[in-house]
Amino acid sequence: MNDYGDVVVCAPVTVPYVRRSDKGAAWWLGSALRRLLEASGLAKRQVDGLCLSSFTLAPDGPAPFVQYVGLSPRFLEFLPTGGACGIMALRRAARAVQCGDADVVACIAGDTNGAESFHDLVAQFSSFSRDCVWPYGAGGPNESFALLTEHAMRRTGATRADFGKLCVAQRQWAQRNPLALLRGELTLETYLAARPIAVPLHLLDCVMPCAGADGYLVMRRVHAEVLGLRYVRILATIERHNAFPDDPIQWRGGWAMDADALWQRASIGPDEIDLVETYDDYPVISMLQFEDLGFCAKDAGADFIRRNEFGPGGNFPHNTGGGQLSCGQAGAAGGFLGLVEAVRQLTGAAEGRGVDGARHALIGGFGMINYDRGICTAAAVLAA
Amino acid sequence: MKAHAAEGRLALQRCTACGNIQYPPRELCGVCLADTLEWRVTDDEPGEVLASTVLHHSHEPAFNGKLPIHVGLIRLDAGPTAIGFLTEACSAGTRVRVTAKLDYRGRAVLSAALAISKEVS
Ligand SMILES: [Zn+2]
């Protein structure tokens, strides 16, 4: 049973991101749930499934949260897998609905960002990272991604200007997205002049932590039609954790293990994709997704960036809401951002930035930079 | 590992069941899952730098006076990869020798220095 039958995704919502918040994660997640109810017209008791993702909900977890917001679901998943959680939630919710374990699954992710919460999160991210990365200058994820970026630049010949091209294009999309936190004009010159953070990474390569939440609903098509909701279909999905553990440095992600299966199940190829939403906490990871998901050959990522145009009106619409690099990274919601944007695009809800005639979208997920590499990868192909 | 680092020695875990040498340390073997691990202690370990970075920003005030800090990912000849401090001249492909010591907070930390200076002397 590889196909998802008549299961659909609808009601993309965002609780607008802010740089800092004194609200708790439960406020952000509960507010996303409220927006899902408002967008769908459903009553709370009709939501009988929940997929939840958050880093800052502690000491609460999924069970305290359902009591907090007064839900009584018969299907409950907690997915603390960062950048892969949006697609992982989609996969689990879709199977639950398809197999009858739930009728309506609310998928929500969100985090707060208080004065100390980002520091506390990265300092204690995992045992390996705490003991074997943090003592080396406490650079956090910037430090790990700097090592991966430096290696990828030598492998592909990518330059800072290549990564800057992606960042500038995303900012052009963000200027059309009122939900993006960073909407000021960005030129390649400004990008290149940014101060160094962890060479080769400079300030505008590094995602900005913020607070926020995103969500969507999964249900049967007939149910969405009764509710009058526009929806998208799920053509195929993949997920993989700790792929290629023997690679001494991460030069490919788990997508490379599963991309063939993804396209085979989707019955379309990369050429038929109208928009791509990569996971982009750092631009090097977008380049890895272009390579590993089959948009270009391995090691050809830099050439691919030079040969294509990624902004509004370009031939390869990419991160069409601005991506995390312009929207901000609201913790676990970063794993939902691309999926929610793709659903908006495919349902005609991406006001002011719609990709004309968009039928198919590819979404990538990349989560949990642990010690020397990102552990979780995922991808989905959605159809209008 | 800390006790050895306090004496300036580098300790890696070795699984007595399958021979796997691992880092970071764990309570069982990451390959065969046996918990029969012993410490393989050396003065230093040879390796090669796979990637490097120069930190200009730290999340800990204690490091702010020491910036910029050179850090690399090092493949040890013994098998595992390790993140460590680099002497300034180390970049990808450089052969290094990795040593351990305790840092200002009593944590075991690794440093890599050019292998050549030691091999020549
Ligand atoms: Zn073993």
Side-chain angles (χ1 to χ4, degrees), chain B residues 15 17-20 29 31-34:
Chain B
C15 173
C18 77
N20 174 46
C29 170
V31 173
C32 76
L33 308 183

Side-chain angles (χ1 to χ4, degrees), chain A residues 287-353:
Chain A
M287 186 177 77
L288 250 62
Q289 285 161 89
F290 297 152
E291 293 180 334
D292 294 343
L293 287 163
F295 292 98
C296 65
K298 197 63 193 172
D299 300 334
D303 183 56
F304 180 80
I305 293 171
R306 290 167 202 164
R307 284 189 295 103
N308 290 281
E309 295 304 326
F310 301 89
N315 68 308
F316 194 92
H318 174 238
N319 289 357
T320 53
Q324 291 184 78
L325 286 169
S326 282
C327 289
Q329 180 178 55
F336 270 52
L337 185 77
L339 181 50
V340 164
E341 170 65 13
V343 175
R344 287 194 175 112
Q345 285 283 351
L346 295 176
T347 57
E351 284 172 31
R353 61 180 190 282

Side-chain angles (χ1 to χ4, degrees), chain A residues 30 33 37 43-47 50 62-73:
Chain A
L33 180 62
L37 299 176
K44 213 160 59 175
R45 63 182 157 71
Q46 293 172 288
V47 176
L50 178 68
F65 178 75
V66 295
Q67 185 179 37
Y68 196 106
V69 296
L71 275 184
S72 303

Side-chain angles (χ1 to χ4, degrees), chain A residues 175-238:
Chain A
Q175 291 178 317
R176 293 160 169 77
N177 179 8
L179 292 169
L181 280 185
L182 299 172
R183 302 183 67 211
E185 188 182 351
L186 176 63
T187 64
L188 187 60
E189 291 67 35
T190 311
Y191 168 90
L192 291 171
R195 66 186 166 90
I197 300 295
V199 177
L201 299 179
H202 293 62
L203 184 65
L204 298 175
D205 294 304
C206 305
V207 76
M208 183 179 80
C210 64
D214 290 276
Y216 58 86
L217 294 174
V218 175
M219 63 185 74
R220 289 190 184 280
R221 184 177 66 226
V222 61
H223 204 155
E225 286 169 349
V226 166
L227 293 167
L229 297 174
R230 305 198 63 177
Y231 55 82
V232 303
R233 293 174 298 127
I234 310 162
L235 295 190
T237 65
I238 52 172

Side-chain angles (χ1 to χ4, degrees), chain B residues 73-101:
Chain B
L73 183 67
I74 301 138
R75 173 128 209 211
L76 301 173
D77 292 357
T81 56
I83 289 172
F85 292 113
L86 297 180
T87 64
E88 197 158 338
C90 298
S91 59
T94 305
R95 294 290 303 168
V96 292
R97 300 199 76 90
V98 178
T99 56
K101 62 175 185 197

